[in-house]
Structures are given as C-alpha cells and as structure tokens.
Amino acid sequence: MSKKYLLISIGIIVIVIFSICIKCGKNDLPTTSMMDAERILQEYLKSANQWEEEYSLEPTDPVVGEIDNNEVYRFEVRYKENVEEVGSRLINNYAITMDGKTIFLYDLANDQWIIQK
C-alpha cells in the first residue's frame, strides 16, 4: 500500500510542477508598454493610410482587454475636439496585443474583432 501512495504522490507532484511551468511560460511572453503599443498602432495606421492629422488616438476604459485569448491594449481613433462639426466623433476601435505584433480592428456591424496585421 505504501508504494501505491508514494507513486500517487509523485504523480501529483509532477503534474503540479508541470502545470506551474506551463503557466510561467505563458507569462514570459514579451510585453509592450501601453505607450509603445500606442506608438506602434499609430505608425501602422499612418503606413496603411488610415491616419489624418485631425485624428487622435485615445485609450479606452478599461484599456486592457482580451481578444481570442490574447491580452490587448484597446484604443479609439477619434476626431480631435477642435475639428468643426465632428469634434471627438468616434472613427474606429483598435486593439494591439501585449507583444505588439497583432493589431485588431473592431467591426461594429458584425460585433467582432478583425486581425489587421
């Protein structure tokens, strides 16, 4: 009986250690600061000809969210306050993964996030 309990105990310990290693490995993904994410997103929008001088990029509330099991920073592109007749009007919602590699655009009509890059 004691060998059986010893084997079960060793099995449980191995499973716990393996689970901890997997969790730690997921947390070791490189992360980008919110300011860097904002810069990366704005550079992407400029290179894709989706940026105008009268636009502003603002973090949403809450800024951190999740899309398809990816932690993301979320932003809104709006007209600047001083633009006549459309001041602060929402243009689009974007999100960028914490590693700065994937950019999403929110499709309001279909209520889904679409990968842009």
Side-chain angles (χ1 to χ4, degrees):
M1 279 285 194
S2 65
K3 284 185 178 183
K4 182 179 178 181
Y5 289 119
L6 179 63
L7 290 174
I8 291 172
S9 298
I10 290 173
I12 291 172
I13 291 171
V14 168
I15 290 171
V16 168
I17 291 173
F18 185 70
S19 298
I20 290 171
C21 289
I22 289 174
K23 182 161 177 58
C24 291
K26 286 183 180 177
N27 291 337
D28 288 341
L29 294 174
T31 57
T32 305
S33 71
M34 187 181 79
M35 289 175 37
D36 286 340
E38 185 173 356
R39 180 187 50 77
I40 292 167
L41 179 55
Q42 191 167 19
E43 287 174 4
Y44 164 76
L45 292 171
K46 286 179 181 178
S47 71
N49 294 320
Q50 297 178 23
W51 186 260
E52 301 290 335
E53 286 303 314
E54 61 266 7
Y55 294 172
S56 68
L57 188 60
E58 303 171 8
T60 62
D61 183 23
V63 69
V64 175
E66 187 174 301
I67 300 171
D68 299 333
N69 296 323
N70 295 302
E71 265 196 305
V72 296
Y73 295 112
R74 297 182 307 193
F75 296 92
E76 296 176 333
V77 175
R78 294 184 168 275
Y79 284 101
K80 291 180 180 174
E81 295 273 342
N82 61 353
V83 178
E84 285 187 37
E85 297 184 28
V86 293
S88 83
R89 185 177 294 169
L90 178 67
I91 298 168
N92 274 321
N93 289 299
Y94 289 91
I96 183 168
T97 54
M98 294 283 183
D99 63 5
K101 293 182 180 177
T102 306
I103 295 174
F104 297 91
L105 167 68
Y106 183 67
D107 178 2
L108 183 62
N110 295 309
D111 190 28
Q112 64 183 6
W113 289 95
I114 300 169
I115 295 176
Q116 299 295 292
K117 171 191 161 215

PDB file of all heavy atoms in Angstrom, residues 66-102:
ATOM      1  N   GLU A  66      -9.223  41.466 -23.605  1.00  0.00           N
ATOM      2  CA  GLU A  66      -8.826  40.175 -24.153  1.00  0.00           C
ATOM      3  C   GLU A  66      -9.593  39.915 -25.448  1.00  0.00           C
ATOM      4  O   GLU A  66     -10.793  40.125 -25.514  1.00  0.00           O
ATOM      5  CB  GLU A  66      -9.107  39.055 -23.157  1.00  0.00           C
ATOM      6  CG  GLU A  66      -8.559  37.718 -23.593  1.00  0.00           C
ATOM      7  CD  GLU A  66      -8.728  36.654 -22.528  1.00  0.00           C
ATOM      8  OE1 GLU A  66      -8.223  36.826 -21.421  1.00  0.00           O
ATOM      9  OE2 GLU A  66      -9.367  35.639 -22.847  1.00  0.00           O
ATOM     10  N   ILE A  67      -8.849  39.483 -26.475  1.00  0.00           N
ATOM     11  CA  ILE A  67      -9.433  39.114 -27.761  1.00  0.00           C
ATOM     12  C   ILE A  67      -8.827  37.783 -28.162  1.00  0.00           C
ATOM     13  O   ILE A  67      -7.606  37.663 -28.239  1.00  0.00           O
ATOM     14  CB  ILE A  67      -9.143  40.168 -28.847  1.00  0.00           C
ATOM     15  CG1 ILE A  67      -9.725  41.527 -28.455  1.00  0.00           C
ATOM     16  CG2 ILE A  67      -9.696  39.710 -30.197  1.00  0.00           C
ATOM     17  CD1 ILE A  67      -9.294  42.655 -29.365  1.00  0.00           C
ATOM     18  N   ASP A  68      -9.660  36.793 -28.413  1.00  0.00           N
ATOM     19  CA  ASP A  68      -9.193  35.469 -28.838  1.00  0.00           C
ATOM     20  C   ASP A  68      -8.075  34.942 -27.943  1.00  0.00           C
ATOM     21  O   ASP A  68      -7.032  34.502 -28.415  1.00  0.00           O
ATOM     22  CB  ASP A  68      -8.714  35.492 -30.295  1.00  0.00           C
ATOM     23  CG  ASP A  68      -9.806  35.870 -31.269  1.00  0.00           C
ATOM     24  OD1 ASP A  68     -10.986  35.632 -30.950  1.00  0.00           O
ATOM     25  OD2 ASP A  68      -9.479  36.402 -32.347  1.00  0.00           O
ATOM     26  N   ASN A  69      -8.261  35.022 -26.645  1.00  0.00           N
ATOM     27  CA  ASN A  69      -7.290  34.560 -25.645  1.00  0.00           C
ATOM     28  C   ASN A  69      -5.976  35.331 -25.670  1.00  0.00           C
ATOM     29  O   ASN A  69      -4.955  34.837 -25.191  1.00  0.00           O
ATOM     30  CB  ASN A  69      -7.011  33.057 -25.787  1.00  0.00           C
ATOM     31  CG  ASN A  69      -8.254  32.242 -25.510  1.00  0.00           C
ATOM     32  OD1 ASN A  69      -9.043  32.569 -24.638  1.00  0.00           O
ATOM     33  ND2 ASN A  69      -8.439  31.184 -26.270  1.00  0.00           N
ATOM     34  N   ASN A  70      -5.960  36.532 -26.230  1.00  0.00           N
ATOM     35  CA  ASN A  70      -4.784  37.402 -26.228  1.00  0.00           C
ATOM     36  C   ASN A  70      -5.082  38.639 -25.398  1.00  0.00           C
ATOM     37  O   ASN A  70      -6.117  39.286 -25.610  1.00  0.00           O
ATOM     38  CB  ASN A  70      -4.436  37.874 -27.653  1.00  0.00           C
ATOM     39  CG  ASN A  70      -4.017  36.750 -28.547  1.00  0.00           C
ATOM     40  OD1 ASN A  70      -3.069  36.044 -28.256  1.00  0.00           O
ATOM     41  ND2 ASN A  70      -4.730  36.575 -29.647  1.00  0.00           N
ATOM     42  N   GLU A  71      -4.185  38.966 -24.484  1.00  0.00           N
ATOM     43  CA  GLU A  71      -4.331  40.219 -23.756  1.00  0.00           C
ATOM     44  C   GLU A  71      -3.954  41.357 -24.683  1.00  0.00           C
ATOM     45  O   GLU A  71      -2.953  41.285 -25.388  1.00  0.00           O
ATOM     46  CB  GLU A  71      -3.431  40.249 -22.520  1.00  0.00           C
ATOM     47  CG  GLU A  71      -4.136  39.812 -21.266  1.00  0.00           C
ATOM     48  CD  GLU A  71      -3.369  40.203 -20.022  1.00  0.00           C
ATOM     49  OE1 GLU A  71      -2.191  39.828 -19.941  1.00  0.00           O
ATOM     50  OE2 GLU A  71      -3.943  40.887 -19.169  1.00  0.00           O
ATOM     51  N   VAL A  72      -4.782  42.401 -24.691  1.00  0.00           N
ATOM     52  CA  VAL A  72      -4.573  43.511 -25.613  1.00  0.00           C
ATOM     53  C   VAL A  72      -4.745  44.847 -24.901  1.00  0.00           C
ATOM     54  O   VAL A  72      -5.375  44.935 -23.850  1.00  0.00           O
ATOM     55  CB  VAL A  72      -5.569  43.454 -26.800  1.00  0.00           C
ATOM     56  CG1 VAL A  72      -5.352  42.225 -27.662  1.00  0.00           C
ATOM     57  CG2 VAL A  72      -7.009  43.517 -26.319  1.00  0.00           C
ATOM     58  N   TYR A  73      -4.152  45.876 -25.524  1.00  0.00           N
ATOM     59  CA  TYR A  73      -4.458  47.259 -25.183  1.00  0.00           C
ATOM     60  C   TYR A  73      -5.499  47.721 -26.197  1.00  0.00           C
ATOM     61  O   TYR A  73      -5.376  47.445 -27.386  1.00  0.00           O
ATOM     62  CB  TYR A  73      -3.220  48.148 -25.307  1.00  0.00           C
ATOM     63  CG  TYR A  73      -2.105  47.835 -24.346  1.00  0.00           C
ATOM     64  CD1 TYR A  73      -0.905  47.318 -24.802  1.00  0.00           C
ATOM     65  CD2 TYR A  73      -2.247  48.095 -22.990  1.00  0.00           C
ATOM     66  CE1 TYR A  73       0.136  47.054 -23.934  1.00  0.00           C
ATOM     67  CE2 TYR A  73      -1.213  47.825 -22.106  1.00  0.00           C
ATOM     68  CZ  TYR A  73      -0.028  47.305 -22.585  1.00  0.00           C
ATOM     69  OH  TYR A  73       1.002  47.044 -21.720  1.00  0.00           O
ATOM     70  N   ARG A  74      -6.511  48.455 -25.723  1.00  0.00           N
ATOM     71  CA  ARG A  74      -7.576  48.907 -26.621  1.00  0.00           C
ATOM     72  C   ARG A  74      -7.532  50.427 -26.765  1.00  0.00           C
ATOM     73  O   ARG A  74      -7.317  51.142 -25.786  1.00  0.00           O
ATOM     74  CB  ARG A  74      -8.927  48.457 -26.099  1.00  0.00           C
ATOM     75  CG  ARG A  74      -9.035  46.949 -26.054  1.00  0.00           C
ATOM     76  CD  ARG A  74     -10.365  46.481 -25.588  1.00  0.00           C
ATOM     77  NE  ARG A  74     -10.717  47.111 -24.319  1.00  0.00           N
ATOM     78  CZ  ARG A  74     -11.700  46.720 -23.543  1.00  0.00           C
ATOM     79  NH1 ARG A  74     -12.439  45.702 -23.900  1.00  0.00           N
ATOM     80  NH2 ARG A  74     -11.961  47.325 -22.417  1.00  0.00           N
ATOM     81  N   PHE A  75      -7.766  50.874 -28.004  1.00  0.00           N
ATOM     82  CA  PHE A  75      -7.715  52.301 -28.305  1.00  0.00           C
ATOM     83  C   PHE A  75      -8.878  52.695 -29.205  1.00  0.00           C
ATOM     84  O   PHE A  75      -9.432  51.863 -29.921  1.00  0.00           O
ATOM     85  CB  PHE A  75      -6.404  52.651 -29.041  1.00  0.00           C
ATOM     86  CG  PHE A  75      -5.171  52.424 -28.226  1.00  0.00           C
ATOM     87  CD1 PHE A  75      -4.500  51.215 -28.298  1.00  0.00           C
ATOM     88  CD2 PHE A  75      -4.683  53.412 -27.391  1.00  0.00           C
ATOM     89  CE1 PHE A  75      -3.356  50.994 -27.557  1.00  0.00           C
ATOM     90  CE2 PHE A  75      -3.541  53.208 -26.647  1.00  0.00           C
ATOM     91  CZ  PHE A  75      -2.874  51.996 -26.722  1.00  0.00           C
ATOM     92  N   GLU A  76      -9.193  53.978 -29.158  1.00  0.00           N
ATOM     93  CA  GLU A  76     -10.174  54.560 -30.066  1.00  0.00           C
ATOM     94  C   GLU A  76      -9.469  55.601 -30.925  1.00  0.00           C
ATOM     95  O   GLU A  76      -8.637  56.361 -30.433  1.00  0.00           O
ATOM     96  CB  GLU A  76     -11.281  55.278 -29.298  1.00  0.00           C
ATOM     97  CG  GLU A  76     -12.123  54.386 -28.439  1.00  0.00           C
ATOM     98  CD  GLU A  76     -13.145  55.165 -27.627  1.00  0.00           C
ATOM     99  OE1 GLU A  76     -12.917  56.354 -27.326  1.00  0.00           O
ATOM    100  OE2 GLU A  76     -14.172  54.575 -27.303  1.00  0.00           O
ATOM    101  N   VAL A  77      -9.832  55.644 -32.195  1.00  0.00           N
ATOM    102  CA  VAL A  77      -9.415  56.732 -33.069  1.00  0.00           C
ATOM    103  C   VAL A  77     -10.613  57.657 -33.167  1.00  0.00           C
ATOM    104  O   VAL A  77     -11.714  57.229 -33.517  1.00  0.00           O
ATOM    105  CB  VAL A  77      -8.986  56.229 -34.462  1.00  0.00           C
ATOM    106  CG1 VAL A  77      -8.665  57.400 -35.379  1.00  0.00           C
ATOM    107  CG2 VAL A  77      -7.790  55.301 -34.343  1.00  0.00           C
ATOM    108  N   ARG A  78     -10.389  58.924 -32.815  1.00  0.00           N
ATOM    109  CA  ARG A  78     -11.456  59.927 -32.823  1.00  0.00           C
ATOM    110  C   ARG A  78     -10.964  61.178 -33.538  1.00  0.00           C
ATOM    111  O   ARG A  78      -9.766  61.408 -33.635  1.00  0.00           O
ATOM    112  CB  ARG A  78     -11.863  60.316 -31.396  1.00  0.00           C
ATOM    113  CG  ARG A  78     -12.512  59.217 -30.615  1.00  0.00           C
ATOM    114  CD  ARG A  78     -12.962  59.726 -29.237  1.00  0.00           C
ATOM    115  NE  ARG A  78     -13.828  58.772 -28.606  1.00  0.00           N
ATOM    116  CZ  ARG A  78     -15.136  58.680 -28.792  1.00  0.00           C
ATOM    117  NH1 ARG A  78     -15.731  59.533 -29.602  1.00  0.00           N
ATOM    118  NH2 ARG A  78     -15.854  57.766 -28.202  1.00  0.00           N
ATOM    119  N   TYR A  79     -11.920  61.987 -33.985  1.00  0.00           N
ATOM    120  CA  TYR A  79     -11.548  63.312 -34.443  1.00  0.00           C
ATOM    121  C   TYR A  79     -11.139  64.128 -33.228  1.00  0.00           C
ATOM    122  O   TYR A  79     -11.699  63.966 -32.133  1.00  0.00           O
ATOM    123  CB  TYR A  79     -12.729  64.007 -35.135  1.00  0.00           C
ATOM    124  CG  TYR A  79     -12.996  63.504 -36.524  1.00  0.00           C
ATOM    125  CD1 TYR A  79     -14.020  62.599 -36.763  1.00  0.00           C
ATOM    126  CD2 TYR A  79     -12.229  63.939 -37.594  1.00  0.00           C
ATOM    127  CE1 TYR A  79     -14.277  62.137 -38.050  1.00  0.00           C
ATOM    128  CE2 TYR A  79     -12.470  63.486 -38.876  1.00  0.00           C
ATOM    129  CZ  TYR A  79     -13.496  62.586 -39.099  1.00  0.00           C
ATOM    130  OH  TYR A  79     -13.736  62.124 -40.363  1.00  0.00           O
ATOM    131  N   LYS A  80     -10.175  65.004 -33.407  1.00  0.00           N
ATOM    132  CA  LYS A  80      -9.765  65.882 -32.312  1.00  0.00           C
ATOM    133  C   LYS A  80     -10.928  66.793 -31.954  1.00  0.00           C
ATOM    134  O   LYS A  80     -11.792  67.092 -32.777  1.00  0.00           O
ATOM    135  CB  LYS A  80      -8.544  66.710 -32.722  1.00  0.00           C
ATOM    136  CG  LYS A  80      -7.295  65.864 -32.878  1.00  0.00           C
ATOM    137  CD  LYS A  80      -6.113  66.713 -33.275  1.00  0.00           C
ATOM    138  CE  LYS A  80      -4.872  65.840 -33.415  1.00  0.00           C
ATOM    139  NZ  LYS A  80      -3.720  66.603 -33.933  1.00  0.00           N
ATOM    140  N   GLU A  81     -10.934  67.240 -30.714  1.00  0.00           N
ATOM    141  CA  GLU A  81     -12.022  68.074 -30.195  1.00  0.00           C
ATOM    142  C   GLU A  81     -12.241  69.345 -31.026  1.00  0.00           C
ATOM    143  O   GLU A  81     -13.346  69.804 -31.178  1.00  0.00           O
ATOM    144  CB  GLU A  81     -11.724  68.477 -28.740  1.00  0.00           C
ATOM    145  CG  GLU A  81     -11.693  67.324 -27.770  1.00  0.00           C
ATOM    146  CD  GLU A  81     -13.049  66.998 -27.211  1.00  0.00           C
ATOM    147  OE1 GLU A  81     -13.961  67.844 -27.290  1.00  0.00           O
ATOM    148  OE2 GLU A  81     -13.203  65.879 -26.698  1.00  0.00           O
ATOM    149  N   ASN A  82     -11.169  69.902 -31.559  1.00  0.00           N
ATOM    150  CA  ASN A  82     -11.274  71.198 -32.231  1.00  0.00           C
ATOM    151  C   ASN A  82     -11.696  71.116 -33.696  1.00  0.00           C
ATOM    152  O   ASN A  82     -11.758  72.131 -34.368  1.00  0.00           O
ATOM    153  CB  ASN A  82      -9.944  71.958 -32.119  1.00  0.00           C
ATOM    154  CG  ASN A  82      -8.792  71.207 -32.771  1.00  0.00           C
ATOM    155  OD1 ASN A  82      -8.943  70.079 -33.201  1.00  0.00           O
ATOM    156  ND2 ASN A  82      -7.634  71.845 -32.809  1.00  0.00           N
ATOM    157  N   VAL A  83     -12.009  69.934 -34.204  1.00  0.00           N
ATOM    158  CA  VAL A  83     -12.448  69.799 -35.596  1.00  0.00           C
ATOM    159  C   VAL A  83     -13.935  70.153 -35.655  1.00  0.00           C
ATOM    160  O   VAL A  83     -14.762  69.538 -34.978  1.00  0.00           O
ATOM    161  CB  VAL A  83     -12.207  68.365 -36.127  1.00  0.00           C
ATOM    162  CG1 VAL A  83     -12.723  68.231 -37.559  1.00  0.00           C
ATOM    163  CG2 VAL A  83     -10.740  68.015 -36.049  1.00  0.00           C
ATOM    164  N   GLU A  84     -14.277  71.141 -36.478  1.00  0.00           N
ATOM    165  CA  GLU A  84     -15.657  71.623 -36.542  1.00  0.00           C
ATOM    166  C   GLU A  84     -16.630  70.531 -36.947  1.00  0.00           C
ATOM    167  O   GLU A  84     -16.346  69.708 -37.810  1.00  0.00           O
ATOM    168  CB  GLU A  84     -15.756  72.781 -37.541  1.00  0.00           C
ATOM    169  CG  GLU A  84     -15.194  74.066 -37.000  1.00  0.00           C
ATOM    170  CD  GLU A  84     -15.462  75.216 -37.938  1.00  0.00           C
ATOM    171  OE1 GLU A  84     -16.549  75.265 -38.550  1.00  0.00           O
ATOM    172  OE2 GLU A  84     -14.565  76.063 -38.044  1.00  0.00           O
ATOM    173  N   GLU A  85     -17.771  70.532 -36.307  1.00  0.00           N
ATOM    174  CA  GLU A  85     -18.920  69.663 -36.579  1.00  0.00           C
ATOM    175  C   GLU A  85     -18.719  68.183 -36.268  1.00  0.00           C
ATOM    176  O   GLU A  85     -19.672  67.468 -36.090  1.00  0.00           O
ATOM    177  CB  GLU A  85     -19.402  69.817 -38.031  1.00  0.00           C
ATOM    178  CG  GLU A  85     -19.903  71.195 -38.342  1.00  0.00           C
ATOM    179  CD  GLU A  85     -20.469  71.291 -39.749  1.00  0.00           C
ATOM    180  OE1 GLU A  85     -20.958  70.273 -40.267  1.00  0.00           O
ATOM    181  OE2 GLU A  85     -20.407  72.390 -40.310  1.00  0.00           O
ATOM    182  N   VAL A  86     -17.484  67.709 -36.230  1.00  0.00           N
ATOM    183  CA  VAL A  86     -17.277  66.291 -35.943  1.00  0.00           C
ATOM    184  C   VAL A  86     -16.380  66.092 -34.723  1.00  0.00           C
ATOM    185  O   VAL A  86     -15.960  64.977 -34.442  1.00  0.00           O
ATOM    186  CB  VAL A  86     -16.671  65.539 -37.154  1.00  0.00           C
ATOM    187  CG1 VAL A  86     -17.650  65.479 -38.294  1.00  0.00           C
ATOM    188  CG2 VAL A  86     -15.357  66.160 -37.580  1.00  0.00           C
ATOM    189  N   GLY A  87     -16.083  67.158 -33.993  1.00  0.00           N
ATOM    190  CA  GLY A  87     -15.169  67.096 -32.859  1.00  0.00           C
ATOM    191  C   GLY A  87     -15.454  65.939 -31.927  1.00  0.00           C
ATOM    192  O   GLY A  87     -16.579  65.735 -31.497  1.00  0.00           O
ATOM    193  N   SER A  88     -14.457  65.125 -31.646  1.00  0.00           N
ATOM    194  CA  SER A  88     -14.429  63.944 -30.775  1.00  0.00           C
ATOM    195  C   SER A  88     -15.289  62.777 -31.264  1.00  0.00           C
ATOM    196  O   SER A  88     -15.477  61.802 -30.551  1.00  0.00           O
ATOM    197  CB  SER A  88     -14.771  64.296 -29.326  1.00  0.00           C
ATOM    198  OG  SER A  88     -16.154  64.371 -29.115  1.00  0.00           O
ATOM    199  N   ARG A  89     -15.802  62.835 -32.478  1.00  0.00           N
ATOM    200  CA  ARG A  89     -16.601  61.730 -33.020  1.00  0.00           C
ATOM    201  C   ARG A  89     -15.709  60.493 -33.211  1.00  0.00           C
ATOM    202  O   ARG A  89     -14.605  60.574 -33.704  1.00  0.00           O
ATOM    203  CB  ARG A  89     -17.240  62.120 -34.343  1.00  0.00           C
ATOM    204  CG  ARG A  89     -18.172  61.020 -34.875  1.00  0.00           C
ATOM    205  CD  ARG A  89     -18.865  61.407 -36.136  1.00  0.00           C
ATOM    206  NE  ARG A  89     -19.773  62.517 -35.875  1.00  0.00           N
ATOM    207  CZ  ARG A  89     -20.373  63.212 -36.832  1.00  0.00           C
ATOM    208  NH1 ARG A  89     -20.158  62.944 -38.098  1.00  0.00           N
ATOM    209  NH2 ARG A  89     -21.195  64.191 -36.524  1.00  0.00           N
ATOM    210  N   LEU A  90     -16.247  59.338 -32.846  1.00  0.00           N
ATOM    211  CA  LEU A  90     -15.519  58.072 -32.974  1.00  0.00           C
ATOM    212  C   LEU A  90     -15.367  57.684 -34.433  1.00  0.00           C
ATOM    213  O   LEU A  90     -16.316  57.747 -35.212  1.00  0.00           O
ATOM    214  CB  LEU A  90     -16.259  56.962 -32.217  1.00  0.00           C
ATOM    215  CG  LEU A  90     -15.650  55.569 -32.297  1.00  0.00           C
ATOM    216  CD1 LEU A  90     -14.303  55.525 -31.576  1.00  0.00           C
ATOM    217  CD2 LEU A  90     -16.602  54.543 -31.708  1.00  0.00           C
ATOM    218  N   ILE A  91     -14.144  57.261 -34.799  1.00  0.00           N
ATOM    219  CA  ILE A  91     -13.878  56.788 -36.160  1.00  0.00           C
ATOM    220  C   ILE A  91     -13.795  55.267 -36.157  1.00  0.00           C
ATOM    221  O   ILE A  91     -14.496  54.603 -36.907  1.00  0.00           O
ATOM    222  CB  ILE A  91     -12.580  57.415 -36.708  1.00  0.00           C
ATOM    223  CG1 ILE A  91     -12.753  58.935 -36.782  1.00  0.00           C
ATOM    224  CG2 ILE A  91     -12.226  56.822 -38.064  1.00  0.00           C
ATOM    225  CD1 ILE A  91     -11.477  59.686 -37.019  1.00  0.00           C
ATOM    226  N   ASN A  92     -12.917  54.703 -35.315  1.00  0.00           N
ATOM    227  CA  ASN A  92     -12.750  53.246 -35.233  1.00  0.00           C
ATOM    228  C   ASN A  92     -12.199  52.850 -33.874  1.00  0.00           C
ATOM    229  O   ASN A  92     -11.586  53.664 -33.180  1.00  0.00           O
ATOM    230  CB  ASN A  92     -11.775  52.735 -36.307  1.00  0.00           C
ATOM    231  CG  ASN A  92     -12.447  52.451 -37.625  1.00  0.00           C
ATOM    232  OD1 ASN A  92     -13.550  51.934 -37.658  1.00  0.00           O
ATOM    233  ND2 ASN A  92     -11.780  52.798 -38.706  1.00  0.00           N
ATOM    234  N   ASN A  93     -12.388  51.587 -33.537  1.00  0.00           N
ATOM    235  CA  ASN A  93     -11.789  50.991 -32.350  1.00  0.00           C
ATOM    236  C   ASN A  93     -10.709  50.017 -32.798  1.00  0.00           C
ATOM    237  O   ASN A  93     -10.937  49.215 -33.714  1.00  0.00           O
ATOM    238  CB  ASN A  93     -12.834  50.222 -31.528  1.00  0.00           C
ATOM    239  CG  ASN A  93     -13.804  51.143 -30.840  1.00  0.00           C
ATOM    240  OD1 ASN A  93     -13.417  51.953 -30.018  1.00  0.00           O
ATOM    241  ND2 ASN A  93     -15.065  51.030 -31.183  1.00  0.00           N
ATOM    242  N   TYR A  94      -9.559  50.083 -32.138  1.00  0.00           N
ATOM    243  CA  TYR A  94      -8.445  49.190 -32.443  1.00  0.00           C
ATOM    244  C   TYR A  94      -7.944  48.558 -31.157  1.00  0.00           C
ATOM    245  O   TYR A  94      -8.147  49.090 -30.064  1.00  0.00           O
ATOM    246  CB  TYR A  94      -7.279  49.960 -33.086  1.00  0.00           C
ATOM    247  CG  TYR A  94      -7.564  50.414 -34.489  1.00  0.00           C
ATOM    248  CD1 TYR A  94      -8.112  51.656 -34.739  1.00  0.00           C
ATOM    249  CD2 TYR A  94      -7.280  49.590 -35.574  1.00  0.00           C
ATOM    250  CE1 TYR A  94      -8.373  52.080 -36.035  1.00  0.00           C
ATOM    251  CE2 TYR A  94      -7.542  49.995 -36.872  1.00  0.00           C
ATOM    252  CZ  TYR A  94      -8.083  51.241 -37.096  1.00  0.00           C
ATOM    253  OH  TYR A  94      -8.338  51.650 -38.374  1.00  0.00           O
ATOM    254  N   ALA A  95      -7.261  47.445 -31.313  1.00  0.00           N
ATOM    255  CA  ALA A  95      -6.593  46.788 -30.189  1.00  0.00           C
ATOM    256  C   ALA A  95      -5.264  46.248 -30.697  1.00  0.00           C
ATOM    257  O   ALA A  95      -5.127  45.916 -31.873  1.00  0.00           O
ATOM    258  CB  ALA A  95      -7.453  45.655 -29.636  1.00  0.00           C
ATOM    259  N   ILE A  96      -4.296  46.174 -29.801  1.00  0.00           N
ATOM    260  CA  ILE A  96      -2.979  45.651 -30.149  1.00  0.00           C
ATOM    261  C   ILE A  96      -2.549  44.704 -29.037  1.00  0.00           C
ATOM    262  O   ILE A  96      -2.744  44.991 -27.850  1.00  0.00           O
ATOM    263  CB  ILE A  96      -1.959  46.788 -30.373  1.00  0.00           C
ATOM    264  CG1 ILE A  96      -0.600  46.235 -30.804  1.00  0.00           C
ATOM    265  CG2 ILE A  96      -1.864  47.706 -29.190  1.00  0.00           C
ATOM    266  CD1 ILE A  96       0.354  47.293 -31.318  1.00  0.00           C
ATOM    267  N   THR A  97      -2.015  43.549 -29.427  1.00  0.00           N
ATOM    268  CA  THR A  97      -1.615  42.558 -28.429  1.00  0.00           C
ATOM    269  C   THR A  97      -0.466  43.089 -27.581  1.00  0.00           C
ATOM    270  O   THR A  97       0.270  43.988 -27.993  1.00  0.00           O
ATOM    271  CB  THR A  97      -1.194  41.237 -29.100  1.00  0.00           C
ATOM    272  OG1 THR A  97      -0.194  41.499 -30.079  1.00  0.00           O
ATOM    273  CG2 THR A  97      -2.377  40.536 -29.738  1.00  0.00           C
ATOM    274  N   MET A  98      -0.320  42.507 -26.401  1.00  0.00           N
ATOM    275  CA  MET A  98       0.705  42.955 -25.454  1.00  0.00           C
ATOM    276  C   MET A  98       2.117  42.823 -26.013  1.00  0.00           C
ATOM    277  O   MET A  98       3.007  43.552 -25.594  1.00  0.00           O
ATOM    278  CB  MET A  98       0.614  42.163 -24.148  1.00  0.00           C
ATOM    279  CG  MET A  98      -0.648  42.410 -23.379  1.00  0.00           C
ATOM    280  SD  MET A  98      -0.556  43.972 -22.537  1.00  0.00           S
ATOM    281  CE  MET A  98      -2.083  43.959 -21.654  1.00  0.00           C
ATOM    282  N   ASP A  99       2.323  41.913 -26.970  1.00  0.00           N
ATOM    283  CA  ASP A  99       3.657  41.786 -27.564  1.00  0.00           C
ATOM    284  C   ASP A  99       3.848  42.748 -28.737  1.00  0.00           C
ATOM    285  O   ASP A  99       4.917  42.818 -29.324  1.00  0.00           O
ATOM    286  CB  ASP A  99       3.937  40.348 -28.002  1.00  0.00           C
ATOM    287  CG  ASP A  99       3.000  39.841 -29.080  1.00  0.00           C
ATOM    288  OD1 ASP A  99       2.156  40.628 -29.585  1.00  0.00           O
ATOM    289  OD2 ASP A  99       3.086  38.653 -29.420  1.00  0.00           O
ATOM    290  N   GLY A 100       2.800  43.494 -29.103  1.00  0.00           N
ATOM    291  CA  GLY A 100       2.889  44.494 -30.152  1.00  0.00           C
ATOM    292  C   GLY A 100       2.883  43.935 -31.563  1.00  0.00           C
ATOM    293  O   GLY A 100       3.119  44.660 -32.516  1.00  0.00           O
ATOM    294  N   LYS A 101       2.565  42.657 -31.733  1.00  0.00           N
ATOM    295  CA  LYS A 101       2.674  42.021 -33.044  1.00  0.00           C
ATOM    296  C   LYS A 101       1.362  41.936 -33.814  1.00  0.00           C
ATOM    297  O   LYS A 101       1.379  41.836 -35.033  1.00  0.00           O
ATOM    298  CB  LYS A 101       3.274  40.622 -32.901  1.00  0.00           C
ATOM    299  CG  LYS A 101       4.714  40.649 -32.435  1.00  0.00           C
ATOM    300  CD  LYS A 101       5.288  39.267 -32.354  1.00  0.00           C
ATOM    301  CE  LYS A 101       6.741  39.341 -31.891  1.00  0.00           C
ATOM    302  NZ  LYS A 101       7.315  38.022 -31.729  1.00  0.00           N
ATOM    303  N   THR A 102       0.229  41.945 -33.132  1.00  0.00           N
ATOM    304  CA  THR A 102      -1.055  41.782 -33.813  1.00  0.00           C
ATOM    305  C   THR A 102      -1.949  42.981 -33.521  1.00  0.00           C
ATOM    306  O   THR A 102      -2.086  43.391 -32.368  1.00  0.00           O
ATOM    307  CB  THR A 102      -1.767  40.493 -33.358  1.00  0.00           C
ATOM    308  OG1 THR A 102      -0.874  39.391 -33.531  1.00  0.00           O
ATOM    309  CG2 THR A 102      -3.027  40.242 -34.164  1.00  0.00           C
TER     310      THR A 102
END
